Every structure is written in C-alpha cells, then in structure tokens.
Amino acid sequence: MKKHVFSIAFIIMFVGILVFQYNESYKFRIEPPSEEWSKEVLIGSVDEGIKTYPKILDFSDGSNLIVYQNGENLKAEVIDKLGKKKNELVIPVGDKFIKSLNLISDGDNTNISWITSKHSIKTMYNIKVDGNLKIIEQNQETDVQEATQAGEDILVLTYKDKIVLRDISNNISTVKKVTSPALVSAVNTNQGYLITYHENGRNFKYFFIKDGVTSDISLAAALAPDSKGGYFDRASLGSDNKYAYLMVEAKTAADRFGIIKCITFSLDGKEKSMEDLKIGPFRRNFGAVAISSGDEARFIASSTRYYERKDSQEDIIDFTIKNGEVVKYSFASRTKEPSMYPAMSNDIIIFFSYLDTDKYDIYMTSTDDEFKNVYNVTRNIEKSRALTDTSVGFIYSVIYVFLFGLQWILAGLTTISGFTYFAHAMNIKVKSILYILCYFVLAAVKVATVYSKAAELPEILNAPYIIIGS
C-alpha cells in the first residue's frame, strides 16, 4: 500500500513539475519581444539570396515603400501600416552581388539606386518611380564605388579619389577630394553633414560639409582589420550633436557574424575613444543601422541574447546613445531563426529571418497601437514552442543531472572503494577517523563540483546554503 502511495505521489509531483514548466514557457512565448515593439508578422520571403541591406521609405498616406534583394532581382513593394501589400515592382538586375541599395525621395517621386560590378568596373543604376511604382526615368553612372544616404533626399557617392554629397531635392552637389575612400557613412548634425570614411584600409577620417563648403579632414581613429584574415564589412554613423558614433563591423573568414567596433569622437575633435559595442548586458552585436540623429543617436542591429542560460538566438535590438552611453534599448524581434538585415522608418521595422542557404522570411513589426491590437494575439506556433521548450528542458535536465552527478559520485565511489579495501586491517578507532575524513573529502569534492557549474544553474540554486545542503 505504501509503495502505491509513494508511486502516485511521485507521478503527481512529476506531472506537476512538467505542467508548471510548460506554463512558464507558455507565458514567456506569448509575450511580445518588448513593451515597445509588437509581435512580428510575415510579409514575404526570399529564396534566391540577399547581399545588401533593404531600405524603407514612408509615404504621406501612412503606407511604406520597401525595397529588397531576391537573388538577381530587386523587389519594390508598397505596404500599408499593417503589412498588407498594396503594389509591387520587380526590377531585374542580372547580378547577385548587389551593394549600396538606397531609396531617395525628391518630394514627388522616389529614386531607387544600387551598385553592381562587371569587369572590375562599378556602376550605379538609378530608377525613378512614382507613388504607384510606375517607372518614370532610368539612368546609370560609372565608377561609383559606394553610395549611402544622409536622409531621405541626400545621397553620398564614393569614387576612387573623391566623395560627393548630392542634394536630390535642390540638385546641388558638393565634392571633397580624398585618398582611397571606403566604408563611407554620413549623418546630418548641427555643424553640417558629417562624412566619415576609411582611408587606405588603415585610418577612419572625417570632415564636414555645410552650405556647400567642406572642412579640413580629421582623424577619427586608427583602425585596421585583424592581420589574420580580418576585414571590415560595413559602417554606420549616428550623432547626438555632441558626439559622433561610428559603428564598424569587424569580421574574419571564420565568423558567421561580426563584432561592432564603436568609434566615438566629439564633433569639436577634442575627445576620441573606441571599444566593442555593448548594449546593456549584450556584447555580441552585429549589422548596426543608423536610424536618426539629433539630441540622441538611434540605431538598430542584430544582437545575440540568451534564454535560461543555455539557449541563444539573434534578434533585432533598437537602441539609443546619448553622451557616449547607451541610454535605452528594447528588442524588436523574437523569431526562432536568426534575425538580420533590419531597416526602419518611423514606427516600423522590417527584418529578415534566416532559414537556410539563400532562404529568408521577411517580417514586419511596429510600435503602432493598431498594429499591436491586431498582431499581439496568442498564436498556435507559440503553444507548440512552449511544448518543445518543456520537452527539451526535461531531456536536458535528465542528461545534465546524470552527467553532473557522475562527476562527484564517481569520485566518491573511488574514495569509498579504497577505504573499504584497507578497512579490514584497521581497528575501530582508525576506521572511524578515516570514515569522517572520507566524508569531508566527498563533501569538498561535491561542493567544488557544484560551484564549478553554479553559473549554469538557476539563480536561486546559487545560494551557498542550498549547494552545501543538497
């Protein structure tokens, strides 16, 4: 009878633990990525690869134009505030290695531009479209090495020996002669347009353009790629009108994702610093995109975060820097697959979730209340993932406890075996002393083993009195 009672109690306790764990996983899974950002909604997919970051531009009617790569084509789509597609245009490019995708508006129409290379000659292609994505004009420019935006109507072009700031709305260009520029970034500040670039692969330098006049060139940081196959993948620039923040992504051939080096310098040139970007406790960040500047510098990026101290995933993070410090941040995605290639306009972010080689899902998220009311609902996939979390957690716990226990149990068995082997030749007093000594040795081994794994245990189990008394 007692055995049956014990078995029933054990089963009830076991089921209770599983139900409790599922409930905790369920509550976690149904939450949006943060209080600020809503749950994501699937708006499209890519099945032929992507090499360049997407762009997004908001229209006056509340809709948005997004442009992204799908293999050898560019796809332009007009979507409403809930992510519903209203119109689309497929632009044949004929090359998978597309770079410097930009969206520039002249107030009435939108210019879509990108760069490809053929026979070592780089060419920038421009297509002007109206609000209905009807092509109005097409042209191209040769020898443009890179292109980046400094607002919705400012395009900064990089040539082999110069940088050109082009004001699309006023049809004005300003030229600055420089030496071997690369990784050019630009931002509008209270001192004019700030332009940064990497010179000869060694130094990051900068200058200002204001009212068509360029300043002298200054050094931002001496930074070269790692000698063991390292390289810089991209750069992004923001400013809070006191400091500039240049995010440079450093990679090696072995890295799946890079590390962001944050170069900070004051606009008056008196202060300079450089360090790996840290956003709160999150140190593994990559793919930063500057969003806005003014009193604060706002960026979005991909960041690796951990769940339950063992699972990690890459999500989109929205963060703000002021006076050299990250003053706030919030996550904007929480997909199972790595989130990358983000773009943002006003209150929406689009991003790509990696599925397999050249295959991605495209998601949209927003801070808009209407968007949250529609999409912040419980989904079947969240229930499924909570069940998966519970199952994986149970299997992990069983295996972990077994392997964890073996580390001190085997040591204990070895010690006891040695003790019993010699015990027959000892008198009772010596046996008692050795028995007590064995107990303290085993306790020390157990405590040392537990403390070596303490960082992997839930925080409540890190308390010394629990470890010693377990």
Side-chain angles (χ1 to χ4, degrees):
M1 182 64 181
K2 290 182 179 180
K3 290 184 178 179
H4 289 299
V5 172
F6 176 79
S7 298
I8 293 172
F10 178 80
I11 292 172
I12 292 174
M13 181 179 69
F14 179 77
V15 173
I17 291 173
L18 290 180
V19 170
F20 173 79
Q21 185 59 50
Y22 174 80
N23 185 59
E24 292 298 304
S25 297
Y26 175 76
K27 289 190 292 185
F28 171 76
R29 286 294 181 183
I30 64 175
E31 288 294 316
S34 62
E35 290 185 7
E36 184 176 2
W37 290 98
S38 70
K39 295 181 180 181
E40 73 285 343
V41 60
L42 183 68
I43 62 172
S45 62
V46 166
D47 55 12
E48 296 180 17
I50 178 172
K51 301 291 184 183
T52 188
Y53 276 65
K55 292 293 181 178
I56 182 168
L57 183 68
D58 63 294
F59 290 155
S60 58
D61 63 356
S63 60
N64 291 270
L65 170 63
I66 63 172
V67 181
Y68 60 91
Q69 178 187 0
N70 186 10
E72 296 188 357
N73 299 311
L74 288 174
K75 204 166 185 181
E77 297 177 353
V78 177
I79 57 175
D80 64 18
K81 63 191 302 184
L82 294 178
K84 306 294 185 182
K85 188 190 301 183
K86 299 171 64 176
N87 201 357
E88 71 174 353
L89 170 68
V90 176
I91 305 171
V93 175
D95 193 334
K96 282 190 173 183
F97 294 94
I98 301 170
K99 61 181 294 187
S100 297
L101 175 62
N102 289 290
L103 278 182
I104 295 292
S105 173
D106 63 8
D108 297 318
N109 302 303
T110 303
N111 188 74
I112 305 171
S113 67
W114 67 94
I115 294 175
T116 60
S117 180
K118 188 174 183 179
H119 304 305
S120 299
I121 299 175
K122 293 182 178 180
T123 303
M124 184 174 74
Y125 296 86
N126 303 284
I127 291 182
K128 183 180 288 189
V129 298
D130 62 16
N132 296 314
L133 299 186
K134 180 181 178 180
I135 297 177
I136 301 172
E137 181 183 331
Q138 300 184 60
N139 60 67
Q140 62 189 60
E141 301 175 58
T142 58
D143 295 326
V144 180
Q145 307 300 304
E146 297 177 5
T148 188
Q149 294 179 224
E152 292 187 352
D153 60 350
I154 301 294
L155 193 62
V156 179
L157 308 179
T158 305
Y159 296 83
K160 291 181 179 180
D161 60 351
K162 63 183 178 181
I163 295 174
V164 178
L165 185 143
R166 183 176 294 173
D167 185 336
I168 303 299
S169 296
N170 299 308
N171 196 25
I172 298 174
S173 293
T174 304
V175 180
K176 181 70 172 180
K177 288 286 186 178
V178 295
T179 304
S180 302
L183 298 175
V184 174
S185 297
V187 65
N188 192 12
T189 73
N190 57 8
Q191 297 185 30
Y193 287 98
L194 171 62
I195 316 292
T196 61
Y197 65 98
H198 202 209
E199 181 185 74
N200 283 324
R202 294 183 178 181
N203 299 317
F204 279 94
K205 295 188 173 182
Y206 68 93
F207 61 91
F208 292 91
I209 296 178
K210 186 173 184 178
D211 298 329
V213 178
T214 64
S215 71
D216 293 334
I217 296 173
S218 302
L219 177 67
L223 180 62
D226 187 287
S227 59
K228 298 179 180 179
Y231 64 98
F232 295 133
D233 188 48
R234 60 193 314 273
S236 185
L237 181 65
S239 173
D240 59 10
N241 282 328
K242 181 179 180 181
Y243 295 96
Y245 309 99
L246 178 60
M247 306 292 176
V248 180
E249 187 164 345
K251 297 178 106 175
T252 66
D255 285 342
R256 184 181 182 187
F257 308 118
I259 290 291
I260 296 175
K261 301 285 186 181
C262 179
I263 300 172
T264 302
F265 57 95
S266 59
L267 299 189
D268 60 14
K270 294 180 180 179
E271 299 177 55
K272 299 173 186 177
S273 66
M274 179 176 60
E275 62 182 358
D276 292 350
L277 175 66
K278 301 179 185 66
I279 308 172
F282 307 103
R283 302 189 174 211
R284 186 74 179 182
N285 307 294
F286 62 96
V289 178
I291 301 304
S292 61
S293 296
D295 292 334
E296 301 174 325
R298 190 177 184 185
F299 297 84
I300 52 176
S302 296
S303 181
T304 301
R305 57 173 167 169
Y306 291 85
Y307 297 98
E308 299 181 353
R309 301 194 178 189
K310 56 183 183 294
D311 296 326
S312 66
Q313 65 186 52
E314 290 72 31
D315 290 319
I316 304 302
I317 191 168
D318 169 21
F319 64 100
T320 301
I321 304 178
K322 186 172 184 178
N323 294 327
E325 301 288 339
V326 176
V327 293
K328 59 183 176 181
Y329 64 87
S330 59
F331 279 94
S333 76
R334 198 172 68 185
T335 55
K336 183 179 180 182
E337 299 79 15
S339 299
M340 55 188 66
Y341 295 115
M344 181 177 176
S345 178
N346 288 334
D347 59 359
I348 75 168
I349 289 177
I350 62 168
F351 63 92
F352 291 65
S353 185
Y354 176 84
L355 302 176
D356 202 349
T357 303
D358 291 339
K359 298 185 184 298
Y360 300 82
D361 279 338
I362 309 171
Y363 290 98
M364 173 179 168
T365 181
S366 177
T367 59
D368 179 70
D369 288 337
E370 181 182 353
F371 192 97
K372 289 181 178 180
N373 290 335
V374 173
Y375 295 115
N376 278 3
V377 295
T378 302
R379 307 174 182 182
N380 290 331
I381 187 65
E382 294 166 343
K383 299 176 183 178
S384 172
R385 286 178 179 171
L387 183 60
T388 301
D389 291 343
T390 304
S391 303
V392 171
F394 170 71
I395 296 171
Y396 177 88
S397 297
V398 171
I399 296 174
Y400 184 84
V401 168
F402 176 73
L403 295 177
F404 180 43
L406 282 180
Q407 294 184 47
W408 63 271
I409 292 173
L410 290 177
L413 289 175
T414 302
T415 304
I416 293 298
S417 297
F419 171 71
T420 55
Y421 181 79
F422 295 103
H424 68 279
M426 304 174 187
N427 58 43
I428 189 64
K429 183 177 180 180
V430 174
K431 285 182 182 179
S432 300
I433 293 173
L434 288 179
Y435 178 81
I436 295 172
L437 181 62
C438 285
Y439 177 83
F440 281 108
V441 169
L442 293 180
V445 170
K446 183 177 180 181
V447 169
T449 303
V450 173
Y451 265 108
S452 70
K453 298 292 183 180
E456 301 176 23
L457 300 174
E459 289 184 7
I460 190 173
L461 297 183
N462 284 341
Y465 58 85
I466 293 180
I467 293 174
I468 294 173
S470 61

